Amino acid sequence: MCEPTARHVPGVRPEGGRVTQNGEGQEALGAAPQVLTFGAPAVGEVLAERYRLEEHVNNDSLGRQLWRGADVVLRRPVAVVLRYPGGDSASEMLSAAVASSRIVHPHLVGVYDAIDESERAYVVREWVDGSSLRDLVSDGPLDPDRAATIACAVADAVAAIHGTGMAHGNIHPGTVLIAADGRVVLADARADEATTTEADLRAIGAILYCALTGYWPHAEAGPTSVPDAIRDSGGNLAAPRQVRGGVPSPLDELTMDLLNPALPVPSADVLVGELGRFEQTSGHPLFMGEDSGFHGFDSAAVAAAAPRPTNRKIVVGIAGLIVIALAGVLGATKVLTGRGDPVPQGGGGKASASAGARSGPITDLKLSADQVRILDDVKGNHNELDTDVKKTVDGDPTTVWRTDQYQGDPNFGTLKSGMGLLFDLGSEKHVVSVKVQLATPGATMELRASSAPPSDTGTYASVTTEGNALKINGADFTLVGEVKQDAGTTVVLPGPPDSPVRYLAIWITKLPPLGGGKYQVGVQDVAVSVQ
């Protein structure tokens, strides 16, 4: 499928994702929304000979018109965002639409079409019934578990965006949408080079704050229907537990830590890897007690500092707060879907008794060249650029370890079952996630783990496979999580949830295409996050 691009002539576009009709538009920053003068398209007008306008829903904070429409070719409802004029003034809107269309994710909107007609421009997206977070909190703050679920979905979407090297840049209560069927969808990314991944992660903290309190913690966000947060005379922000009762301490601390510029934020994939360790059957780790340490993603240096740096405001009366101690786990994780699908929750706190003790900050493990070896099928020639394997752990994404090129078939030319990398962590560790950076997308890979040492045969290790079983130099390696099919360039593999391990294996069974009937994979960097 061709990559969507903004176009100037009507035509059929490939389908590309989701959209909502609520809360579109960038939050106005530091000023009232710009007043734009534009025409009024009529109900029934057909754009690009395909999209019939059926109802004018509203105008967003940038003056763009939002319409409910219908795709008369595919006979489905769509949302149409119209901006007057088009041309250069609409370039950011169209660029953002094209960039967003490249990512297909259950918590992200996508694009059907992006058209510039000079006098006007418009983006056509999927129509999804629902409400924005801004609408929901207008009736009062949300329950803590529902607030956490929404924030988790937004974090998952942000991780997908960051994995492409982009930032969203426009996360606020109007762009977080909750569909009628319970889906949480993040809308309306900005095509602004000034946006940063750190700002996205801080914004997740702001979303959590808004959901918990019904207030927006950024006074600079400009006019909005969500009232500004409660502050003291110095403009300092009140913590959620000071605004309302019933907010568990770990959730309160996580929220304020994400909003605190003096504290580091985790990378999106590390945060998602941590959240992904928890399943619905293990309970809701956010509510497992005051010392759960859900906010424990800080670096070791920050976590060890005393007193803990904080940007918490309004300290008067904190001593009088009632400490909420929930006895045990609140049962199965609550989800918004109502279909029983588990939504990743979690934190760095105490897992169930069978999971082993896990506490402390999440850090990236520094690996040296002597801790990594090439994995090759026993049928292989064991001679594929052994000296370059150190490039996978040098922290430099411009250096790459590559397999040989294989002809005619992505499964290593049908000559063997696969290749990969073996890591010795030095001792048993609780692995949160393994991030693999690939030179090109399209590989299929899996994570395997063991605490039994493979026999040492030098620079490579031989692999034998039988069904789902995999042995490396005689040691059994167990599959962790699911096989990643046709992976992108950034792959995050959750670590073993139940016990520490010493040895990890990234096993690749399908190669990306190079063109001309050739296939090859290049590994730029591997990062192992441990707790």
Side-chain angles (χ1 to χ4, degrees):
M1 180 173 65
C2 297
E3 180 178 297
T5 56
R7 61 191 176 97
H8 295 265
V9 294
V12 177
R13 296 289 303 159
E15 189 168 334
R18 295 178 173 81
V19 75
T20 178
Q21 70 282 9
N22 297 296
E24 297 288 349
Q26 174 186 334
E27 194 76 47
L29 300 177
Q34 181 182 5
V35 177
L36 300 178
T37 302
F38 43 71
V43 172
E45 181 177 350
V46 178
L47 307 180
E49 301 179 356
R50 178 168 184 174
Y51 307 111
R52 183 177 63 244
L53 300 179
E54 297 188 338
E55 179 186 7
H56 178 215
V57 179
N58 57 35
N59 296 342
D60 68 15
S61 60
L62 289 181
R64 298 180 300 187
Q65 294 186 359
L66 188 61
W67 285 75
R68 178 176 59 83
D71 183 337
V72 298
V73 175
L74 297 181
R75 298 184 180 180
R76 62 181 176 184
V78 295
V80 181
V81 182
L82 279 155
R83 190 194 191 284
Y84 289 76
D88 291 342
S89 63
S91 60
E92 183 179 2
M93 180 185 81
L94 296 173
S95 296
V98 171
S100 298
S101 71
R102 298 168 183 162
I103 310 171
V104 178
H105 190 277
H107 298 307
L108 282 173
V109 301
V111 175
Y112 291 159
D113 218 337
I115 301 173
D116 185 8
E117 294 180 350
S118 296
E119 71 277 6
R120 66 183 176 187
Y122 46 94
V123 172
V124 182
R125 299 172 174 173
E126 182 185 359
W127 174 273
V128 178
D129 288 317
S131 300
S132 67
L133 178 61
R134 175 183 294 150
D135 296 330
L136 290 182
V137 299
S138 65
D139 295 327
L142 307 182
D143 291 338
D145 53 351
R146 194 179 187 198
T149 301
I150 291 173
C152 284
V154 174
D156 194 28
V158 168
I161 296 173
H162 290 185
T164 69
M166 299 189 303
H168 186 279
N170 193 29
I171 301 172
H172 61 80
T175 57
V176 175
L177 298 313
I178 296 86
D181 62 1
R183 290 178 297 155
V184 179
V185 185
L186 181 59
D188 201 20
R190 292 179 59 189
D192 187 343
E193 294 181 356
T195 61
T196 66
T197 56
E198 179 180 349
D200 283 349
L201 292 159
R202 301 289 184 197
I204 295 173
I207 289 298
L208 197 49
Y209 188 98
C210 177
L212 288 169
T213 66
Y215 295 96
W216 185 238
H218 296 311
E220 70 275 15
T224 173
S225 59
V226 180
D228 183 29
I230 297 173
R231 304 171 190 270
D232 66 10
S233 59
N236 300 317
L237 184 66
R241 295 184 73 185
Q242 295 172 276
V243 177
R244 57 169 289 190
V247 179
S249 177
L251 191 57
D252 179 271
E253 293 179 1
L254 171 64
T255 305
M256 297 306 290
D257 284 352
L258 287 171
L259 292 173
N260 186 352
L263 295 178
V265 291
S267 64
D269 49 31
V270 168
L271 183 57
V272 170
E274 173 68 1
L275 296 173
R277 292 193 296 111
F278 296 86
E279 298 180 356
Q280 185 173 5
T281 55
S282 65
H284 203 312
L286 285 175
F287 311 102
M288 295 180 75
E290 293 296 305
D291 61 343
S292 73
F294 179 68
H295 55 291
F297 52 71
D298 302 338
S299 66
V302 173
R308 181 188 179 96
T310 181
N311 196 32
R312 311 264 168 90
K313 318 300 181 183
I314 311 182
V315 297
V316 177
I318 290 182
L321 289 174
I322 299 175
V323 177
I324 302 174
L326 298 181
V329 179
L330 292 184
T333 303
K334 294 183 179 180
V335 295
L336 296 176
T337 62
R339 298 189 300 269
D341 301 324
V343 174
Q345 305 289 340
K350 299 176 181 177
S352 62
S354 62
R358 300 181 79 160
S359 61
I362 299 173
T363 58
D364 285 341
L365 184 65
K366 180 62 178 177
L367 295 171
S368 59
D370 60 0
Q371 290 178 275
V372 56
R373 286 191 283 168
I374 289 178
L375 292 175
D376 199 1
D377 190 290
V378 68
K379 302 174 185 177
N381 58 22
H382 315 311
N383 190 34
E384 297 193 36
L385 307 181
D386 292 344
T387 57
D388 287 341
V389 71
K390 63 180 181 295
K391 295 180 178 179
T392 64
V393 292
D394 62 3
D396 183 358
T398 64
T399 61
V400 186
W401 168 77
R402 300 182 190 274
T403 65
D404 284 345
Q405 294 182 9
Y406 290 80
Q407 187 74 34
D409 191 283
N411 301 107
F412 292 85
T414 69
L415 300 174
K416 55 187 177 182
S417 62
M419 287 191 68
L421 299 166
L422 174 66
F423 299 89
D424 181 353
L425 306 184
S427 61
E428 290 192 340
K429 302 182 186 300
H430 284 290
V431 177
V432 174
S433 64
V434 179
K435 178 183 176 182
V436 185
Q437 194 73 37
L438 301 177
T440 53
T444 294
M445 67 176 61
E446 60 195 55
L447 182 66
R448 298 269 179 163
S450 176
S451 288
S455 59
D456 191 352
T457 59
T459 57
Y460 70 87
S462 292
V463 175
T464 57
T465 59
E466 184 176 347
N468 195 42
L470 186 145
K471 288 181 180 291
I472 300 176
N473 284 4
D476 291 316
F477 274 67
T478 303
L479 178 65
V480 179
E482 299 180 351
V483 177
K484 294 287 186 179
Q485 304 278 352
D486 298 319
T489 54
T490 300
V491 187
V492 180
L493 304 165
D498 297 328
S499 59
V501 294
R502 175 169 175 174
Y503 300 95
L504 294 174
I506 297 171
W507 184 237
I508 301 169
T509 57
K510 180 183 176 183
L511 301 172
L514 289 180
K518 295 181 179 180
Y519 301 87
Q520 182 184 48
V521 70
V523 180
Q524 296 173 318
D525 197 54
V526 176
V528 179
S529 298
V530 298
Q531 185 176 39

